[in-house]
Amino acid sequence: MKGNQINIDEDLYIPNGYKVIIKPGQKIILTNSAFIISNSPWKIGGNEKKTTISGEKNNLGGGLYIGDTNEITKIENTEFSYLNGYNINLNSEYLILGSINFHGTNLEIKNVYFKNIFSEDAINIFSSKFSMTNVSYKDIFSDAIDVDFSKGNINNVRFININNDAIDFSGSNAKVYGAYFNNVNDKVISAGENSKINISKIKAINSYLGIASKDGSEVYSDNISFDGVIIPFSAYQKKKEYEHGVLFVKDLNLNNFFKKWIKDKNSKIIINDIPIEDETKNIISIIYEKKISLLNNN
């Protein structure tokens, strides 16, 4: 990219065979929901100055899709904001749910900030290998991170004002270490569809549901601090084609909750090596009826 700022107001496609480099301090301003689809890897930002990829407050951008390339994409010291995702065309070959999307690729994300994101997911990672370190999410309209059928690590992340799930895993193998959550309106961390997730050293306050293991997933968690999380732990079957959820928890500190844990008959929650025998019937209805009640009261 030449110059310090480029304005893009219509969709752009970058085929494979290139390497896109956005230097530290440069800006890409997307307007009119403009979206970039790239089959080439990107290198965004660096240590020196903050890089920006953003829409405008009154004229949102679409976002970015990087896919189907084995070369690694690196994003560092970058801010993403005022993006609303892809205007879905039913005739398109792409199913894009996030503002920033990765499909069938490898990526490293470090020192990145997402704010004022209005798409289904702020970042969507599908069938990829990833690492995410020192990343913050604030004022996110729906999910912050959605990881599908991928493998990677999430370290030292912050979530503030997330309208749906903060981290949502499906069919994935991942580790989460060192995370802070404040005002998450659905699940702090959700694991579904045979995911295997390790969680350590997380803190959540003033949120709805803490850690959920569902649909054949196995979640191992320790060093958990929740204050004002309505339902800290849950394990259940939501989709009949999968088995039940399993959740292990060690070293926990809980304050100000409605119900410490809920699980269905065949799912398992093990707290400090002791299985929980309680069974909650109609668990899906209870979870979402309680959420709706709380939202109406607010």
Side-chain angles (χ1 to χ4, degrees):
M1 181 175 126
K2 296 181 179 180
N4 288 328
Q5 179 172 315
I6 183 170
N7 299 301
I8 299 174
D9 61 5
E10 59 183 17
D11 293 347
L12 175 66
Y13 173 65
I14 301 171
N16 60 20
Y18 297 89
K19 185 166 186 177
V20 181
I21 299 175
I22 312 300
K23 296 179 180 178
Q26 292 185 319
K27 295 182 179 181
I28 296 178
I29 304 300
L30 302 169
T31 54
N32 298 335
S33 295
F35 204 94
I36 302 171
I37 294 176
S38 175
N39 293 131
S40 291
W42 286 47
K43 184 180 186 301
I44 304 175
N47 291 325
E48 299 90 348
K49 298 179 181 178
K50 182 178 71 176
T51 303
T52 300
I53 297 179
S54 176
E56 297 175 344
K57 185 174 182 180
N58 297 316
N59 190 352
L60 300 177
L64 173 64
Y65 171 102
I66 299 172
D68 306 314
T69 171
N70 290 326
E71 295 186 60
I72 194 165
T73 286
K74 294 186 177 182
I75 305 175
E76 186 174 3
N77 194 17
T78 298
E79 179 180 295
F80 296 96
S81 62
Y82 293 111
L83 302 173
N84 65 355
Y86 191 55
N87 284 331
I88 295 175
N89 180 345
L90 295 179
N91 296 320
S92 172
E93 63 180 298
Y94 298 102
L95 178 61
I96 300 173
L97 297 176
S99 285
I100 307 301
N101 305 267
F102 302 92
H103 183 287
T105 189
N106 300 292
L107 62 142
E108 293 180 5
I109 302 172
K110 183 178 180 181
N111 299 328
V112 172
Y113 184 31
F114 291 81
K115 67 177 184 178
N116 298 310
I117 303 295
F118 300 94
S119 52
E120 179 70 21
D121 311 316
I123 182 170
N124 183 282
I125 300 170
F126 189 96
S127 191
S128 297
K129 294 181 179 179
F130 68 95
S131 68
M132 186 181 302
T133 305
N134 297 332
V135 181
S136 295
Y137 299 82
K138 184 177 180 182
D139 298 330
I140 306 300
F141 173 77
S142 189
D143 291 350
I145 302 174
D146 193 296
V147 179
D148 299 312
F149 309 103
S150 297
K151 183 176 182 179
N153 299 296
I154 298 174
N155 300 307
N156 299 322
V157 286
R158 292 176 61 87
F159 303 85
I160 299 174
N161 300 336
I162 311 300
N163 204 42
N164 207 49
D165 295 340
I167 309 176
D168 184 6
F169 293 106
S170 295
S172 295
N173 191 324
K175 295 180 179 179
V176 179
Y177 178 86
Y180 172 80
F181 307 83
N182 187 345
N183 193 30
V184 175
N185 286 334
D186 204 334
K187 294 174 283 295
V188 165
I189 300 177
S190 175
E193 300 181 7
N194 297 327
S195 290
K196 295 186 183 299
I197 309 298
N198 285 273
I199 301 166
S200 185
K201 199 177 180 181
I202 70 168
K203 180 179 181 179
I205 64 174
N206 302 328
S207 296
Y208 178 58
L209 198 151
I211 300 172
S213 179
K214 59 186 188 292
D215 298 335
S217 296
E218 295 180 10
V219 177
Y220 300 84
S221 62
D222 67 82
N223 200 346
I224 308 300
S225 177
F226 288 161
D227 188 352
V229 176
I230 304 302
I231 304 172
F233 305 111
S234 61
Y236 52 96
Q237 181 193 50
K238 185 177 181 181
K239 300 177 180 178
K240 297 299 183 182
E241 60 269 31
Y242 293 94
E243 296 297 325
H244 295 262
V246 179
L247 172 60
F248 294 85
V249 185
K250 288 188 175 183
D251 188 14
L252 62 156
N253 181 21
L254 304 180
N255 292 289
N256 301 312
F257 52 84
F258 167 72
K259 189 171 179 60
K260 191 178 292 186
W261 45 65
I262 56 174
K263 72 174 197 69
D264 59 23
K265 180 178 180 180
N266 295 311
S267 293
K268 297 179 181 179
I269 298 178
I270 297 94
I271 305 288
N272 291 328
D273 298 322
I274 300 174
I276 301 304
E277 300 298 337
D278 298 351
E279 175 190 345
T280 303
K281 296 182 179 180
N282 302 317
I283 193 169
I284 303 299
S285 297
I286 289 172
I287 289 173
Y288 291 100
E289 286 174 4
K290 182 66 177 174
K291 180 182 177 182
I292 291 169
S293 174
L294 289 170
L295 289 174
N296 289 337
N297 289 335
N298 289 335

